[in-house]
Amino acid sequence: MNRGLRIAVLLALISLVSTSVSHAQPKPPTRARAAASSQQTVPAPHWGSAKTLSPVPIPSPKTATGPRTTTPKAAVCTHTVRSGESISRIAARYRVTRAALIEANRLANPHALRSGQHLSVPGCQPSAPQTTAGETPGTEPDADGILIKRVGPRRILTSLVLGTPNFRDESITLVWPVEGPVISTFGQRSRGWHAGIDITAEAGSQIYAAAAGTVVYSGWIRAYGQVVKIQHSNGFITLYAHNQKNLVEVGEDVEAGQLIATVGRSGHAIGPHIHFEVRRDGKAYNPLHLLDPSDQSPIFDDDVAASSSEHDPHE
């Protein structure tokens, strides 16, 4: 009787446990379990345990590479030399130094350019847009008294030194190329800017070299007419324009006061006179700062004002 009761109670307990297990709900996985399940298990080799690999992050397409940066190359222009052009004038046009232009083209004699010759201009800057009459690039000279203006009929950018230059021991003394009154000075005029001075004289009068040097040009330049250029010591160059006749040739050595040409009105000129310039390192200087004082060369003689080139379009 007791044994049978114990068996019945045991069977009842077994039935109750089976029913509770069949109706039990699985628990949601915890974060730790979820992280573990996301990992990939790789079968380990026979000598070790299983190895767990973490997921490898894939870079976003937007952050994988950044924008490329490129360093702009220095501009290099090519200039075709025209008749009468000089290294200094070309350098001023492209706003580069004369030395850089000579070095880039390995010019043994920078004063012997050929018409049609191609020159490389390193680091050139585009010239300012062409301006109409009366308009010029820049309004005030810089700290050195230099003002860049367009001069002449071709409106060539030229560095004009308006102040008194200080060449120290490198200055040269110039004699007057012709005796006569100065009828147009250096700098601003009623129509544009002037890169030299104009000295009037009778047609056929003698023109003299302002200093000893070597003739680097003798020929025709548009608007200037017949022109002589002389290279002097310390980098100075003098120019004599509107000549009636040139009497020296390129390569000829001359002395100060030597006859080199005769006064005329070739090119753009109203009356006979000489247009005289002094340049150095691509800059135009006022000749009156370098010429010896002369009582025989007064400035603006009213008696000869009618022959002034004040309104001429030449340089």
Side-chain angles (χ1 to χ4, degrees), residues 1 68 73 207 243:
M1 182 82 178
R68 291 185 177 182
K73 296 182 179 179
I207 299 175
N243 308 333

Side-chain angles (χ1 to χ4, degrees), residues 151-209:
V151 301
R154 286 179 287 177
R155 312 289 289 166
I156 297 174
L157 282 172
T158 304
S159 296
L160 304 174
V161 182
L162 302 182
T164 302
N166 182 12
F167 298 119
R168 297 184 175 88
D169 296 334
E170 296 182 344
S171 182
I172 61 174
T173 300
L174 303 178
V175 299
W176 284 79
V178 67
E179 291 294 342
V182 175
I183 55 175
S184 184
T185 55
F186 178 89
Q188 190 170 15
R189 304 197 300 177
S190 59
R191 295 180 60 185
W193 291 77
H194 202 209
I197 61 174
D198 294 338
I199 309 170
T200 190
E202 293 184 2
S205 298
Q206 294 181 338
I207 299 175
Y208 307 103

Side-chain angles (χ1 to χ4, degrees), residues 7-21:
I7 293 173
V9 172
L10 181 58
L11 292 175
L13 289 174
I14 293 173
S15 177
L16 180 61
V17 170
S18 300
T19 302
S20 62
V21 171

Side-chain angles (χ1 to χ4, degrees), residues 4-309:
L5 180 59
R6 287 198 300 272
I7 293 173
V9 172
L10 181 58
L11 292 175
L13 289 174
I14 293 173
S15 177
L16 180 61
V17 170
S18 300
T19 302
S20 62
V21 171
S22 63
H23 292 284
Q25 298 295 328
K27 295 182 179 180
T30 62
R31 292 183 179 180
R33 292 177 180 175
S37 63
S38 64
Q39 297 176 344
Q40 181 181 2
T41 302
V42 180
H46 64 278
W47 62 81
S49 58
K51 183 178 180 181
T52 302
L53 300 179
S54 301
V56 178
I58 301 175
S60 171
K62 294 182 179 180
T63 60
T65 57
R68 291 185 177 182
T69 57
T70 57
T71 302
K73 296 182 179 179
V76 177
C77 303
T78 300
H79 177 80
T80 302
V81 178
R82 294 180 293 184
S83 177
E85 283 189 319
S86 65
I87 282 291
S88 298
R89 182 164 298 177
I90 296 171
R93 174 178 179 179
Y94 291 97
R95 303 179 189 179
V96 299
T97 63
R98 185 174 179 270
L101 199 58
I102 294 173
E103 181 180 358
N105 295 275
R106 300 180 180 179
L107 299 176
N109 184 3
H111 303 293
L113 298 180
R114 304 184 310 274
S115 180
Q117 181 178 356
H118 298 293
L119 298 178
S120 296
V121 187
C124 66
Q125 303 178 30
S127 298
Q130 293 291 334
T131 56
T132 58
E135 295 179 340
T136 49
T139 56
E140 296 294 334
D142 62 14
D144 297 325
I146 299 175
L147 189 62
I148 298 178
K149 291 294 182 180
R150 294 188 181 276
V151 301
R154 286 179 287 177
R155 312 289 289 166
I156 297 174
L157 282 172
T158 304
S159 296
L160 304 174
V161 182
L162 302 182
T164 302
N166 182 12
F167 298 119
R168 297 184 175 88
D169 296 334
E170 296 182 344
S171 182
I172 61 174
T173 300
L174 303 178
V175 299
W176 284 79
V178 67
E179 291 294 342
V182 175
I183 55 175
S184 184
T185 55
F186 178 89
Q188 190 170 15
R189 304 197 300 177
S190 59
R191 295 180 60 185
W193 291 77
H194 202 209
I197 61 174
D198 294 338
I199 309 170
T200 190
E202 293 184 2
S205 298
Q206 294 181 338
I207 299 175
Y208 307 103
T214 302
V215 178
V216 294
Y217 187 85
S218 179
W220 182 276
I221 297 178
R222 181 166 61 92
Y224 274 128
Q226 292 291 346
V227 172
V228 171
K229 291 183 183 180
I230 301 177
Q231 172 77 52
H232 308 284
S233 60
N234 297 333
F236 287 93
I237 295 176
T238 54
L239 177 147
Y240 315 74
H242 303 304
N243 308 333
Q244 183 182 78
K245 185 178 181 180
N246 296 341
L247 303 176
V248 289
E249 298 180 353
V250 173
E252 184 175 342
D253 292 329
V254 297
E255 298 295 330
Q258 180 176 328
L259 177 63
I260 60 172
T262 56
V263 174
R265 51 177 298 179
S266 58
H268 294 177
I270 295 176
H273 70 280
I274 175 179
H275 172 76
F276 179 64
E277 293 185 11
V278 178
R279 302 211 178 199
R280 185 176 190 246
D281 295 332
K283 303 179 183 67
Y285 293 87
N286 188 343
L288 296 179
H289 290 147
L290 294 167
L291 286 167
D292 270 340
S294 173
D295 294 336
Q296 299 181 19
S297 295
I299 297 177
F300 294 114
D301 189 328
D302 293 336
D303 295 337
V304 294
S307 64
S308 171
S309 60

